[in-house]
Amino acid sequence: MKALVLDPAFGLDNLRVVEHPDPAPGPGQVLVRVRAASLNYRDLLIAKGQYNPKLAFPRVLGSDAAGEVAAVGAGVTAWKPGDRVAGCFMQHWDDGPITDAAAKSTLGSDRDGALAELIVLEARGLVRLPDHLSDEEAATLPCAAVTAWNALTAAGVGPGGTVLLQGTGGVSIFALQLAKALGARVLITSGSDEKLARALALGADAGTNYKTNPDWEKWARQQTGGAGVDVVIEVGGPGTLDRSLKAVKTGGHVALIGVLAGAGTVNPLLVLMKAVRLQGVFVGSRAMFEAMNAVIGAKHLRPVIDRTFALSDAVAAFRHLESAAHFGKVVVKM
Ligand SMILES: NC(=O)c1ccc[n+]([C@@H]2O[C@H](COP(=O)([O-])OP(=O)(O)OC[C@H]3O[C@@H](n4cnc5c(N)ncnc54)[C@H](OP(=O)(O)O)[C@@H]3O)[C@@H](O)[C@H]2O)c1
């Protein structure tokens, strides 16, 4: 089979689409013919050596796969050839709180990932696809959408609440769609006026450009009559966290997810003086994925795909993600 492999060392120049041995399912496992995969900022960090310094080479990258079951291993009764499925980001997180074992079962880092024509997944590490989604659309869900869902539901987002989102990448655009589906008001920032217009067209209630308006935390407070937002979906990391803590209301919730904005200083006094709940989010469980898919199915939500590349062009897809020119998700079709 063909696969996008990182070998023999870190660096985007070491990414290649090559012939790789076909994997075979063991007991309790399923062989999936991947139809589409999507890229995440994490995949870029992994390729550059900024995520898992102990990565084993050669490694097939990719966190998100959608396709159909090609064969099942011994003892598997829940799945049959032809079932349309997506892989869970963590192969060993069924439900309940995250465990150390779950956190070490991620695709494209702890084990071979999604950017391949075939992938072996655990029978417990699969979900059924919402019927109305294409393979490309479904391939966007496992990492970015589940992360957004976990963050929003853990924060108790619902009608009457205001959520602040940062930028228009994969996690933030899913957070926009899902927060609106949950009935919340959505504020969003972007470094591009054109992307802000697209976010408003998708349902965001207000937006501001963080490049021309670097004091976006003041803007967010103004949008809430000075009180501050209920929830921040924090994808910037240390470079934005201080402003997020100023934007959130007293007693509000900040979901710590990403590292897009680089270094910065954070004043922990704001966390305690405002009694902010700071919640780390690491994607989510299979149960969360299934609950999210039920809402996506009921509301007929459609993921936003920026661009689709062929597997033979997967390195160009990484470069496109790196450019941050995208809005929503970048997909690779097998
Ligand atoms: N903890 C987890 O479980 C988890 C899961 C998924 C992702 N993540 C992390 O979450 C982050 C987002 O991931 P992703 O896959 O959605 O990334 P992505 O699609 O690559 O997002 C890129 C976008 O982020 C925006 N951005 C960049 N710098 C920014 C800044 N300083 N302030 C605000 N927005 C900025 C830009 O949007 P504009 O062009 O609109 O400005 C850019 O296009 C990454 O750090 C990733 O590692 C964590």
Side-chain angles (χ1 to χ4, degrees):
M1 68 157 182
K2 290 202 165 30
L4 181 83
V5 170
L6 184 68
D7 194 44
F10 292 117
L12 292 191
D13 291 340
N14 290 318
L15 282 176
R16 270 175 213 91
V17 179
V18 296
E19 274 301 325
H20 199 66
D22 284 5
Q29 295 184 321
V30 171
L31 182 69
V32 173
R33 186 166 300 285
V34 181
R35 298 297 184 198
S38 81
L39 299 191
N40 293 280
Y41 193 76
R42 162 192 198 258
D43 305 320
L44 262 182
L45 294 175
I46 290 172
K48 291 177 178 177
Q50 296 166 3
Y51 188 97
N52 176 5
K54 294 181 182 161
L55 193 82
F57 298 102
R59 178 57 86 216
V60 178
L61 297 193
S63 321
D64 295 342
E68 64 190 41
V69 172
V72 298
V76 175
T77 52
W79 305 103
K80 61 179 188 321
D83 286 345
R84 293 183 74 223
V85 294
C88 297
F89 176 85
M90 285 177 218
Q91 288 289 291
H92 293 172
W93 189 7
D94 304 325
D95 199 357
I98 189 168
T99 62
D100 198 39
K104 289 182 178 143
S105 65
T106 70
L107 296 180
S109 178
D110 301 298
R111 48 171 73 198
D112 275 342
L115 288 156
E117 290 171 324
L118 294 167
I119 185 173
V120 165
L121 297 167
E122 306 299 324
R124 65 190 272 205
L126 291 173
V127 299
R128 272 174 222 290
L129 302 187
D131 287 337
H132 71 291
L133 296 186
S134 68
D135 294 328
E136 291 92 319
E137 288 169 329
T140 64
L141 300 176
C143 181
V146 175
T147 300
W149 174 262
N150 182 3
L152 294 168
T153 52
V157 166
T162 300
V163 183
L164 174 62
L165 308 178
Q166 299 169 339
T168 59
V171 172
S172 296
I173 293 301
F174 272 122
L176 192 176
Q177 294 178 291
L178 293 168
K180 292 310 293 181
L182 293 168
R185 183 169 165 241
V186 170
L187 309 179
I188 190 164
T189 68
S190 173
S192 150
D193 289 343
E194 186 255 326
K195 290 183 181 180
L196 276 180
R198 290 180 68 185
L200 293 174
L202 255 185
D205 296 278
T208 196
N209 187 320
Y210 60 77
K211 288 185 179 158
T212 54
N213 181 15
D215 295 335
W216 46 268
E217 78 284 6
K218 290 185 186 147
W219 168 83
R221 294 187 73 84
Q222 282 160 8
Q223 296 295 317
T224 52
V229 301
D230 298 282
V231 176
V232 183
I233 303 298
E234 172 47 79
V235 293
T240 48
L241 182 55
D242 216 49
R243 290 183 191 274
S244 294
L245 290 170
K246 290 173 182 157
V248 77
K249 74 176 186 185
T250 296
H253 185 118
V254 176
L256 263 187
I257 293 173
V259 293
L260 287 167
T265 51
V266 179
N267 178 5
L269 273 183
L270 284 171
V271 179
L272 64 102
M273 296 300 283
K274 292 174 77 175
V276 173
R277 280 195 314 271
L278 204 51
Q279 165 88 59
V281 173
F282 194 13
V283 192
S285 64
R286 190 190 67 230
M288 292 176 198
F289 198 166
E290 288 166 342
M292 178 192 77
N293 280 352
V295 171
I296 287 176
K299 304 258 179 189
H300 271 252
L301 294 184
R302 301 210 90 107
V304 177
I305 294 177
D306 175 80
R307 211 169 139 187
T308 301
F309 293 76
L311 178 60
S312 55
D313 252 351
V315 179
F318 271 73
R319 297 279 182 199
H320 181 59
L321 191 80
E322 187 184 33
S323 77
H326 62 288
F327 180 93
K329 294 292 293 177
V330 176
V331 169
V332 173
K333 197 171 176 190
M334 306 310 153

